[in-house]
């Protein structure tokens, strides 16, 4: 390459190292990020290092009982902190709202459908969530899914299920459960969209904060990396997710709390007003507090914080304290 001065400039071999979990879903997501970055920066040399996290290894304990924030992210973050990786690709809903010193949420990608999906054992294919027989066993380890479904369908039973999406589907098909609740986005990305029996109405169950979007984490102030990954940012998704994350942060919820959200722009052009709905429920499903706040999309954090205060005023803090006391691992 010839520089404007006519002198041959040395070719700078730019590279970017990505840390990822190694589940099938994580790899699909990471490959998507790599391909998008490669297309935007054809000369960039991109490598992927895949690893297991604590959350992938501890499979015999209910998620909520492990009680650790950053269960699926810590090992990836360590790689960036010791300069063995430049970015980490996460399902945004697995990324805690407070990140370790020195790291930041660099960008947020375009969200897929954030809804939860019902997946049924084939013996129930004529049923819907509302008509599943008395005592049907729902496989989930999400306190959010459990509390909301118990609230609306007290005749259902719940059993913890761990492992990645494919393992869960195998357990369902093997007869361990009558149905599963999974994120529609994960099934779609894995090419398993045909297993979605029904999308769950947000009137019944609100999704997790950040569900369906990817969060790219990087070192704070790493401007070269931030500039490269900026092409991945989807502004409307980011505004919604920043409001959702501010709501969760204000309620001091980790990744395992019965907290759900829904966000939308008041106008179809993704400007102006952002409407955020949130809920906190007790684990027996008996108490469920839900409300909405809207405000200017340009200041998403204020919307999330206002909603958290509004739910606290209605007793959400009390519910969360009871849950933290009940599920906290024994000291
Ligand atoms: C978190 C939860 C779950 C995952 C808790 C929740 C689901 C656990 C379960 C924070 N992370 O949603 O209330 O149901 O037992 C996870 C999935 C995805 C990201 C799988 C899923 C894929 C979808 C996405 C696990 N993390 O929820 O079906 O990108 O949002």
């Amino acid at each position: 390459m010839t520089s404007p001065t006519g002198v041959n400039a040395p070719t700078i071999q730019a590279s970017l190292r990505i840390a990822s979990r190694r589940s099938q879903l994580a790899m699909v997501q990471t490959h998507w990020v790599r391909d998008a970055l490669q297309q935007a920066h054809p000369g960039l040399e991109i490598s992927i290092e895949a690893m297991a996290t604590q959350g992938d290894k501890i499979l015999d304990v209910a998620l909520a009982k492990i009680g650790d924030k950053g269960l699926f992210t810590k090992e990836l973050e360590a790689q960036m902190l010791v300069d063995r990786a430049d970015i980490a690709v996460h399902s945004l809903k697995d990324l805690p709202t407070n990140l370790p010193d020195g790291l930041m949420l660099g960008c947020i990608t375009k969200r897929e459908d954030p809804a939860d999906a019902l997946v049924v054992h084939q013996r129930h294919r004529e049923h819907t969530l509302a008509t599943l027989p008395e005592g049907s066993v729902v496989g989930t380890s999400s306190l959010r899914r459990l509390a909301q479904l118990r609230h609306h369908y007290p005749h259902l039973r719940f059993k913890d299920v761990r492992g990645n999406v494919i393992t869960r589907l195998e357990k369902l098909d093997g007869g361990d459960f009558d149905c599963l609740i999974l994120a529609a986005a994960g099934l779609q990305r894995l090419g398993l969209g045909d297993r979605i029996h029904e999308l769950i109405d947000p009137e019944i169950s609100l999704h997790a904060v950040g569900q369906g979007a990817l969060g790219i984490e990087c070192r704070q102030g790493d401007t070269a990396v931030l500039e490269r990954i900026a092409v991945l940012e989807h502004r409307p998704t980011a505004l919604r997710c920043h409001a959702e994350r501010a709501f969760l942060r204000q309620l001091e919820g980790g990744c395992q709390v019965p907290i759900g959200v829904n966000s939308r722009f008041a106008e179809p052009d993704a400007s102006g007003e952002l409407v955020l709905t949130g809920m906190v429920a007790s684990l027996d499903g008996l108490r469920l507090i839900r409300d909405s706040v809207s405000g200017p999309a340009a200041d998403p954090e204020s919307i999330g914080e206002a909603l958290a205060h509004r739910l606290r005023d209605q007793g959400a803090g009390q519910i969360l304290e009871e849950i933290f006391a009940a599920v906290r691992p024994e000291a």
Side-chain angles (χ1 to χ4, degrees), residues 15-49:
S15 70
L16 186 85
R17 301 157 300 170
I18 309 180
S20 170
R21 288 174 54 208
R22 59 174 178 228
S23 72
Q24 298 100 320
L25 180 57
M27 289 314 289
V28 169
Q29 295 177 166
T30 298
H31 287 151
W32 181 86
V33 166
R34 181 201 53 197
D35 294 348
L37 287 172
Q38 195 71 80
Q39 200 171 10
H41 312 291
L44 189 64
E45 202 175 282
I46 306 175
S47 59
I48 295 174
E49 199 199 331

Side-chain angles (χ1 to χ4, degrees), residues 11-331:
T11 347
I12 298 161
Q13 193 55 297
S15 70
L16 186 85
R17 301 157 300 170
I18 309 180
S20 170
R21 288 174 54 208
R22 59 174 178 228
S23 72
Q24 298 100 320
L25 180 57
M27 289 314 289
V28 169
Q29 295 177 166
T30 298
H31 287 151
W32 181 86
V33 166
R34 181 201 53 197
D35 294 348
L37 287 172
Q38 195 71 80
Q39 200 171 10
H41 312 291
L44 189 64
E45 202 175 282
I46 306 175
S47 59
I48 295 174
E49 199 199 331
M51 64 201 83
T53 63
Q54 214 189 350
D56 300 305
K57 290 178 196 155
I58 309 175
L59 291 174
D60 52 350
V61 184
L63 266 189
K65 290 239 163 63
I66 308 176
D68 197 31
K69 291 184 188 174
L71 205 55
F72 293 104
T73 55
K74 255 190 203 152
E75 285 80 357
L76 278 53
E77 292 174 336
Q79 292 295 102
M80 291 185 285
L81 289 169
V82 299
D83 196 20
R84 266 190 256 131
D86 301 303
I87 64 172
V89 178
H90 309 285
S91 285
L92 184 58
K93 79 164 171 170
D94 292 328
L95 187 65
T97 52
N98 291 313
L99 303 180
D101 279 349
L103 298 178
M104 65 183 285
L105 177 51
C107 70
I108 295 176
T109 67
K110 185 163 195 257
R111 178 177 241 175
E112 301 248 353
D113 187 340
D116 278 341
L118 174 73
V119 181
V120 295
H121 187 273
Q122 95 123 22
R123 66 178 170 264
H124 295 306
R125 64 182 183 278
E126 307 302 329
H127 282 283
T128 64
L129 184 58
T131 70
L132 280 171
E134 174 87 38
S136 289
V137 176
V138 184
T140 181
S141 50
S142 157
L143 301 181
R144 172 185 62 82
R145 290 169 176 154
L146 170 133
Q148 294 185 97
L149 294 187
R150 259 192 191 147
H151 180 79
H152 291 280
Y153 304 114
H155 67 289
L156 298 177
R157 293 196 293 137
F158 295 85
K159 203 163 127 189
D160 211 51
V161 56
R162 292 291 319 281
N164 63 46
V165 174
I166 310 241
T167 314
R168 289 179 187 211
L169 290 172
E170 282 166 7
K171 289 180 181 169
L172 171 72
D173 296 336
D176 290 11
F177 309 97
D178 292 293
C179 66
L180 297 175
I181 310 291
L182 292 169
L187 289 166
Q188 273 152 0
R189 290 199 189 107
L190 284 167
L192 294 169
D194 61 335
R195 294 298 310 256
I196 298 175
H197 190 64
E198 179 186 336
L199 286 174
I200 298 175
D201 190 324
E203 289 304 317
I204 300 292
S205 186
L206 295 177
H207 61 73
V209 164
Q211 188 160 310
L214 307 184
I216 316 296
E217 197 180 8
C218 65
R219 277 181 298 271
Q220 208 146 29
D222 193 341
T223 47
V225 165
L226 282 165
E227 275 165 26
R228 285 198 181 112
I229 63 176
V231 294
L232 299 171
E233 171 103 336
H234 184 253
R235 187 80 183 137
T237 302
L239 291 171
R240 288 168 63 186
C241 290
H242 285 310
E244 295 174 11
R245 286 171 65 79
F247 168 68
L248 183 62
R249 187 181 297 122
Q250 188 64 42
L251 286 173
E252 289 166 53
C255 73
Q256 271 301 312
V257 275
I259 293 180
V261 291
N262 186 259
S263 59
R264 62 181 177 83
F265 289 97
E267 301 295 329
D269 66 352
S271 67
E273 292 272 302
L274 185 62
V275 186
L276 183 67
T277 301
M279 79 88 211
V280 173
S282 61
L283 295 186
D284 57 14
L286 294 178
R287 285 170 292 160
L288 190 150
I289 301 171
R290 178 176 164 141
D291 210 338
S292 300
V293 163
S294 64
D299 186 9
E301 273 84 11
S302 299
I303 303 170
E305 284 163 18
L307 181 62
H309 289 305
R310 197 175 284 191
L311 292 197
R312 267 191 199 282
D313 288 344
Q314 297 169 46
Q318 170 73 24
I319 293 179
L320 291 175
E321 259 159 52
E322 286 168 21
I323 291 164
F324 293 145
V327 302
R328 191 172 291 138
E330 270 105 90

